[in-house]
Amino acid sequence: MDIKLFVNITSRAWALPILANLHAGIAGRQATLLTATGASRTAFSKSMDHLIEIGLLERNPGHGHPLRPEFRLTPLGKGAAEMAHNIHSVTRGEDQTLLRRTWTVPILTSLYRPRHFNEIRGTLPAITDRALSQSLISMEDRNWVRRSVIETARPPRPIYSAVNAGEMISRITGPEISLVT
């Protein structure tokens, strides 16, 4: 999977939880998934529509009532769902809020190896300096990212690396996602 698709998947807050729950065996019915994720109806509906639009989910033909549709993973969706499940399995409940932010998982994917700020920005399409900076600060606060300053460089330059849960997520996604460099 390429980083552009991955960023597109994570652009909806509930996309990864939906995919993770489907991979875990939660029935593909809307009400069941809605309960399992804990999302609001509107946010859940937008995430489901988004996953259908990008080709990871489809309506299960011949199953479900029009008012209670049933969904299933596409072949592309099965790989994404497995990755989402693995990501969710290494995080705690209080970390789910950070995971639902648009740039958290793509940045951790970029930090599969330590990188400077501009190197991270170069691997992620369309990220702004402000979004990258705020995401890195949030992940530093949660102790998912470590910022170190290389004092021998002129001028001194910070380098970021994934640690703890951030490192586990990075190990899951890093080998699977091809970065734009």
Side-chain angles (χ1 to χ4, degrees), residues 10-32:
T10 61
S11 69
R12 293 288 181 182
W14 296 99
L16 286 179
I18 290 168
L19 291 171
N21 279 299
L22 283 169
H23 182 77
I26 301 294
R29 291 184 303 277
Q30 187 167 335
T32 310

Side-chain angles (χ1 to χ4, degrees), residues 100-120:
R100 286 195 306 266
R101 292 185 183 169
T102 300
W103 292 106
T104 298
V105 181
I107 290 170
L108 290 173
T109 301
S110 176
L111 291 175
Y112 183 61
R113 68 172 183 80
R115 294 183 190 269
H116 297 284
F117 186 91
N118 287 334
E119 291 176 316
I120 299 168

Side-chain angles (χ1 to χ4, degrees), residues 87-107:
I87 290 168
H88 277 266
S89 68
V90 299
T91 57
R92 298 182 311 258
E94 64 267 13
D95 294 334
Q96 298 304 311
T97 320
L98 187 56
L99 277 179
R100 286 195 306 266
R101 292 185 183 169
T102 300
W103 292 106
T104 298
V105 181
I107 290 170

Side-chain angles (χ1 to χ4, degrees), residues 1 3 6 10 83 87 103-113 115 120 123-124 139 162 166 169-179:
M1 178 182 314
I3 191 68
F6 194 56
T10 61
M83 189 182 314
I87 290 168
W103 292 106
T104 298
V105 181
I107 290 170
L108 290 173
T109 301
S110 176
L111 291 175
Y112 183 61
R113 68 172 183 80
R115 294 183 190 269
I120 299 168
T123 62
L124 300 173
M139 288 186 280
I169 293 168
S170 182
R171 285 185 190 162
I172 292 167
T173 60
E176 302 295 324
I177 307 295
S178 63
L179 298 173

Side-chain angles (χ1 to χ4, degrees), residues 122-174:
T123 62
L124 300 173
I127 193 168
T128 63
D129 288 346
R130 184 171 192 265
L132 177 55
S133 179
Q134 288 180 336
S135 295
L136 287 168
I137 289 169
S138 296
M139 288 186 280
E140 280 182 84
D141 290 344
R142 192 64 59 98
N143 204 21
W144 283 14
V145 169
R146 181 181 313 130
R147 179 183 185 266
S148 307
V149 178
I150 302 172
E151 299 289 340
T152 57
R154 290 289 170 235
R157 295 179 58 192
I159 191 163
Y160 298 90
S161 52
V163 294
N164 302 323
E167 183 179 17
M168 289 188 279
I169 293 168
S170 182
R171 285 185 190 162
I172 292 167
T173 60

Side-chain angles (χ1 to χ4, degrees), residues 13-61:
W14 296 99
L16 286 179
I18 290 168
L19 291 171
N21 279 299
L22 283 169
H23 182 77
I26 301 294
R29 291 184 303 277
Q30 187 167 335
T32 310
L33 283 170
L34 183 62
T35 303
T37 60
S40 71
R41 286 187 183 278
T42 304
F44 177 84
S45 177
K46 287 182 180 181
S47 293
M48 290 294 284
D49 291 343
H50 180 71
L51 290 170
I52 291 168
E53 182 180 312
I54 61 176
L56 300 180
L57 284 182
E58 63 185 3
R59 285 186 178 264
N60 195 356

